[in-house]
Amino acid sequence: MTATNPVTSHPSPPGPAHGPAVAAPANGGPPARAVLFQMMSGYAVSQAIHVAVRLGVADLVHRGASTTTELAAATGAHEQSLHRLLRALVALGILTEREPGRFGLTPLGQPLRGDVPDSLRPHTILYCNEAGWQVWGQLLHSVTTGEPAFPFVHGTDGFSYLADKPYLSEAFNDTMAAETEIIGTGMVAAYDFSQFGTVADVGGGNGALLSRVLTAFPTVRGILFDTAAGVEEAVKHLSDADLSSRSTVVAGDFFESVPSGADAYLLKSVIHDWHDDRARVILGNCRKAMSADARLLLVEVVLPATVSSPALAPVLMSDLTMLVTTGGRERTEEEFRTLLAGTGFKLTSVSAPFGPLQHRVIEARPTGTA
């Protein structure tokens, strides 16, 4: 359980080019009403992209199926309705219509293919699936009650929901692996792990992040810790990276305990999944496992004290994602400091930011006794 819930949502792309007419402003920029309308209707665009991905349109067009008839035959879709979707994707810049009824893939549409590096196909399935938009439809419930909407809508938590949804589970794993690769690259550049003999990756999933650490710092050994389901792919991943001799995979539940004996305990995108009470249980169990000179390393987004730039929108939308899905939250440095102090730690440093959401490595040292 290392990363965001399977129903996370990113800020929507521009909305569809329909709706009430608006007059062009004198300065040539979009009027506020038009911008707001695009924001409000962004869910329609995300669903158009989602359906195209579920049908495999980008892959089929890339392989040469260019007409509506060919694509309908390949996907089993209703031909006239599919044609309407394809036209909308042209208007959104994802497809081109080179001649009437014949479509091509634009550079913007290329990442929707499943066979390209850094494919956004799993992300689209994960972020735009029906479980996600149903939960976001109950944002009002979360804002008025302070409770996550996911159990309110689906009767269970997001992680349990994945258990009998193979296509969502696969998309979740692929998305988290891709994001871990990006974050891991920045993390090993931002923080020196060579000072440790053994690093325990708590909630480490398939071992992608630990592999990054062990590869970048060849004197370090690793412990990969997650649930039995979470570590299913870890042994193979570490073996494929030729890291089996320097790593140990342990299954367990970080709400119960974590392995002892490591010099550093690394938790990437774990704490933001949980409200403070649950986060304190995880941190408390880490503290119990740690020696007095060990280090706790949280890889998390750190919110600024005030919102000063529209560039923060993805981070703040991530915070709302935690609200509606898991009940967790993104936190400021001061909030991390307080949370850590309440579980036997002192925050000692915060690294430079890295990655698309500007994650940081938050280092803390044990204080007093466990």
Side-chain angles (χ1 to χ4, degrees):
M1 296 187 288
T2 62
T4 55
N5 190 270
V7 291
T8 54
S9 172
H10 284 180
S12 300
H18 66 269
V22 291
N27 63 6
R33 194 165 182 271
V35 173
L36 284 171
F37 186 83
Q38 287 183 326
M39 290 180 178
M40 291 186 299
S41 56
Y43 67 91
V45 174
S46 72
Q47 287 309 301
I49 296 171
H50 181 226
V51 171
V53 164
R54 291 294 299 273
L55 294 175
V57 168
D59 300 278
L60 290 167
V61 171
H62 175 70
R63 293 197 293 264
S66 63
T67 68
T68 304
T69 300
E70 291 170 338
L71 290 166
T75 61
H78 181 260
E79 184 170 340
Q80 186 181 54
S81 300
L82 178 62
H83 184 70
R84 296 164 71 177
L85 173 65
L86 298 174
R87 289 187 308 185
L89 295 172
V90 171
L92 292 169
I94 291 170
L95 297 178
T96 62
E97 192 170 18
R98 297 173 295 193
E99 56 186 77
R102 188 174 295 277
F103 299 92
L105 195 60
T106 68
L108 181 63
Q110 291 290 338
L112 299 180
R113 289 166 49 195
D115 61 349
V116 295
D118 300 325
S119 170
L120 287 177
R121 185 180 188 280
H123 300 69
T124 306
I125 293 171
L126 182 63
Y127 297 142
C128 304
N129 74 84
E130 61 278 7
W133 53 256
Q134 288 168 357
V135 168
W136 274 98
Q138 293 296 329
L139 175 62
L140 180 61
H141 169 81
S142 292
V143 171
T144 55
T145 67
E147 300 294 329
F150 201 101
F152 176 74
V153 174
H154 297 293
T156 187
D157 65 89
F159 296 110
S160 299
Y161 184 87
L162 284 177
D164 61 349
K165 303 290 188 301
Y167 81 98
L168 276 183
S169 182
E170 180 181 2
F172 175 75
N173 291 336
D174 289 347
T175 299
M176 295 306 106
E179 293 184 358
T180 294
E181 285 296 320
I182 295 171
I183 292 172
T185 299
M187 183 190 73
V188 297
Y191 190 86
D192 180 16
F193 287 85
S194 67
Q195 60 189 298
F196 306 118
T198 301
V199 173
D201 187 357
V202 177
N206 71 353
L209 189 71
L210 184 61
S211 293
R212 280 282 179 172
V213 173
L214 300 185
T215 300
F217 301 93
T219 63
V220 176
R221 298 183 60 84
I223 300 171
L224 191 286
F225 179 75
D226 208 322
T227 62
V231 300
E232 283 181 355
E233 300 176 23
V235 173
K236 183 179 185 302
H237 190 103
L238 292 164
S239 176
D240 289 346
D242 198 25
L243 296 169
S244 296
S245 64
R246 294 168 52 208
S247 58
T248 303
V249 176
V250 181
D253 182 348
F254 53 39
F255 287 113
E256 299 294 332
S257 65
V258 302
S260 60
D263 303 301
Y265 286 77
L266 174 66
L267 290 79
K268 181 194 76 66
S269 301
V270 169
I271 297 303
H272 85 151
D273 277 340
W274 309 100
H275 57 72
D276 285 357
D277 288 346
R278 296 291 273 169
R280 279 191 283 267
V281 173
I282 300 168
L283 294 172
N285 285 334
C286 289
R287 177 65 188 89
K288 291 174 185 177
M290 295 171 64
S291 65
D293 58 353
R295 300 288 180 271
L296 178 74
L297 306 173
L298 307 181
V299 180
E300 296 279 356
V301 169
V302 178
L303 293 177
T306 59
V307 179
S308 57
S309 168
L312 291 170
V315 174
L316 297 172
M317 291 303 294
S318 176
D319 182 50
L320 284 182
T321 296
M322 296 299 100
L323 172 64
V324 298
T325 54
T326 66
R329 60 186 302 180
E330 308 295 358
R331 295 173 172 86
T332 65
E333 181 175 334
E334 188 56 36
E335 287 170 333
F336 275 114
R337 192 183 306 278
T338 300
L339 182 64
L340 289 164
T343 52
F345 293 99
K346 178 181 179 180
L347 191 154
T348 51
S349 68
V350 178
S351 78
F354 50 86
L357 291 184
Q358 301 292 280
H359 284 74
R360 297 172 185 261
V361 179
I362 303 164
E363 182 192 81
R365 300 187 180 198
T367 58
T369 57

